[in-house]
Amino acid sequence: MPAWTDLKIKPSELRLDPTLTCGQAFRWQSTGPSEWTCALFGHAIDLKQTPTTILFRTLGHLKTAPTDHSHVESSLRDYLQLHISLETLCDTWTIVDPDFAKLRKAQEGVRTLRQPVVETLFAFIASSNNNIKRITMLVNKFCARFGTPIETNKGIFYTFPEVKDIARCVDIEGTLKELGFGYRAKYYAKTVALLCDSHECPEIFLLGLRDKSLEEARKALLQLSGVGPKVADCVCLMALDKPGAVPVDTHIWQVALRRYQLVTGQKAPSTKAYEAAQQLIIALFGPFAGWAQGMLFSGDLDTAESSAAAVKKELAASKRKAKVDVLPVKPAKPIKPENPTNPEIPASSIKMRLRK
């Protein structure tokens, strides 16, 4: 096994478990105690959380990938955005929202990743009316079908495909429907066609959006099939260097209502309500409001999961109680009077017979 390299990053700046499972990345697999593995930059990257730092190593790579260790480390540091101090951001946010101190402790080390733009775009197209577990399943099926395998002693890990790799498929929509993408399959087919027809290199076009303003990048993404405001904001935040982008989903909508008393008169995040919740979070947390949103999202996700688990436990207990309550009662044998001439039986005699 290759040796580990210490990234020298403390848990207050990065904790792997919540960061890699909170709904921003979908391809990291738990492969050992506190270990996570994913195919990135043409390498199978292994990360390990320790009580004091994060370690990494490479388990395998594509023939075309650069093998220089410092290059891989530099790419990984960029992916994890280790040049940004999460602690400093939290210090600032705690001033504007004193209760953020509790969230900061509960969601310690949940930071926003800087992911490959094609992966982020296509992963979040799959997020429409979906949950993290199912999105993860779909994204991994997608990579197994269109990506390139990297064999390691921990198994096979697939790279995320380039747009033109997907375009080689004769029937993208039909293929994805077979993989379980349902109505989302047509979004993929249309977006691949649009990107390939309009741009000689879709990757260069999408990466170029990093140099555009948030509004320009958002407008360009909204032209793609399956991309609404939330998906566009997710891509801007997690792939296009727009830390002020604030995606508003059900969790953030609830946070805005409960935590910050947002009043819109709406029961669900309509277009106007979406913008109201978004502007509220931006006004509170400033240029890195998207990073704050990530911690708020993770916190509400934990709350929702805890509530769901509690409800599930309560329902299970209710079912067990119901089964006990409806157990058939075996009829007692008729009790014959000891004295036929006196049908009244003493209570003590009845109790003794029932016990028998």
Side-chain angles (χ1 to χ4, degrees):
M1 276 288 235
W4 293 101
T5 297
D6 191 348
L7 288 173
K8 298 179 180 178
I9 184 76
K10 51 190 176 181
S12 58
E13 286 291 345
L14 171 63
R15 283 192 304 125
L16 295 177
D17 192 346
T19 297
L20 302 180
T21 62
C22 70
Q24 59 175 321
F26 304 97
R27 295 195 302 119
W28 287 95
Q29 298 180 36
S30 177
T31 54
S34 301
E35 292 183 23
W36 300 82
T37 312
C38 181
L40 281 174
F41 332 121
H43 291 257
I45 305 290
D46 210 14
L47 294 177
K48 184 178 181 67
Q49 182 88 54
T50 77
T52 58
T53 189
I54 303 290
L55 308 175
F56 93 93
R57 62 186 174 186
T58 57
L59 303 178
H61 59 85
L62 300 178
K63 292 180 180 179
T64 56
T67 56
D68 181 61
H69 189 75
S70 61
H71 174 80
V72 177
E73 180 175 351
S74 176
S75 298
L76 185 57
R77 285 183 172 278
D78 178 73
Y79 177 86
L80 298 171
Q81 303 204 79
L82 297 184
H83 61 287
I84 296 172
S85 171
L86 181 59
E87 285 187 296
T88 300
L89 291 175
C90 286
D91 288 343
T92 303
W93 298 332
T94 303
I95 293 171
V96 298
D97 177 6
D99 285 341
F100 202 90
K102 297 176 184 178
L103 181 72
R104 173 184 188 171
K105 184 176 180 181
Q107 301 302 319
E108 181 187 50
V110 176
R111 65 190 298 117
T112 299
L113 304 172
R114 187 182 193 235
Q115 301 180 74
V117 62
V118 172
E119 174 180 345
T120 311
L121 171 63
F122 284 100
F124 278 97
I125 288 177
S127 71
S128 173
N129 298 315
N130 223 338
N131 57 58
I132 293 174
K133 184 178 180 180
R134 181 165 170 74
I135 300 166
T136 299
M137 180 267 290
L138 291 175
V139 169
N140 282 293
K141 281 187 175 183
F142 187 83
C143 292
R145 172 60 181 81
F146 297 106
T148 305
I150 300 176
E151 294 187 14
T152 76
N153 56 5
K154 284 190 172 184
I156 298 175
F157 299 89
Y158 292 89
T159 63
F160 201 93
E162 294 185 357
V163 178
K164 289 193 174 180
D165 293 331
I166 307 167
R168 293 190 185 98
C169 179
V170 176
D171 182 10
I172 297 173
E173 183 174 350
T175 299
L176 292 180
K177 281 185 175 179
E178 288 179 3
L179 293 178
F181 280 73
Y183 68 88
R184 302 173 190 87
K186 64 182 178 183
Y187 298 154
Y188 282 81
K190 289 180 179 179
T191 289
V192 169
L194 180 60
L195 288 172
C196 289
D197 291 345
S198 304
H199 309 281
E200 184 176 348
C201 181
E203 279 73 19
I204 291 178
F205 161 69
L206 291 170
L207 280 172
L209 297 179
R210 286 180 171 174
D211 299 323
K212 303 293 184 182
S213 68
L214 172 57
E215 288 308 311
E216 289 174 313
R218 205 168 181 265
K219 183 177 179 181
L221 291 170
L222 288 171
Q223 303 305 309
L224 303 175
S225 184
V227 178
K230 189 194 79 171
V231 171
D233 286 328
C234 285
V235 178
C236 285
L237 172 63
M238 301 167 197
L240 296 180
D241 299 339
K242 310 291 184 278
V246 177
V248 177
D249 73 335
T250 302
H251 292 283
I252 295 302
W253 172 249
Q254 291 300 323
V255 166
L257 293 179
R258 292 195 312 264
R259 187 182 183 96
Y260 301 115
Q261 290 79 52
L262 175 67
V263 178
T264 65
Q266 303 288 325
K267 293 183 179 180
S270 62
T271 301
K272 286 187 177 179
Y274 181 102
E275 292 176 356
Q278 190 176 61
Q279 292 306 312
L280 183 151
I281 301 247
I282 291 171
L284 275 171
F285 299 109
F288 278 79
W291 282 56
Q293 175 270 353
M295 296 184 75
L296 290 165
F297 176 91
S298 183
D300 196 72
L301 187 65
D302 285 350
T303 300
E305 289 176 349
S306 297
S307 299
V311 169
K312 188 176 180 181
K313 185 177 180 180
E314 187 177 339
L315 286 173
S318 299
K319 287 180 181 179
R320 286 196 298 271
K321 184 177 185 300
K323 287 180 181 179
V324 172
D325 289 345
V326 299
L327 284 175
V329 179
K330 187 177 180 179
K333 292 181 179 180
I335 300 174
K336 296 181 180 180
E338 292 180 350
N339 183 354
T341 61
N342 183 7
E344 294 183 2
I345 308 297
S348 59
S349 176
I350 294 175
K351 288 179 182 179
M352 287 178 64
R353 293 190 183 202
L354 287 176
R355 282 200 294 271
K356 292 179 181 177

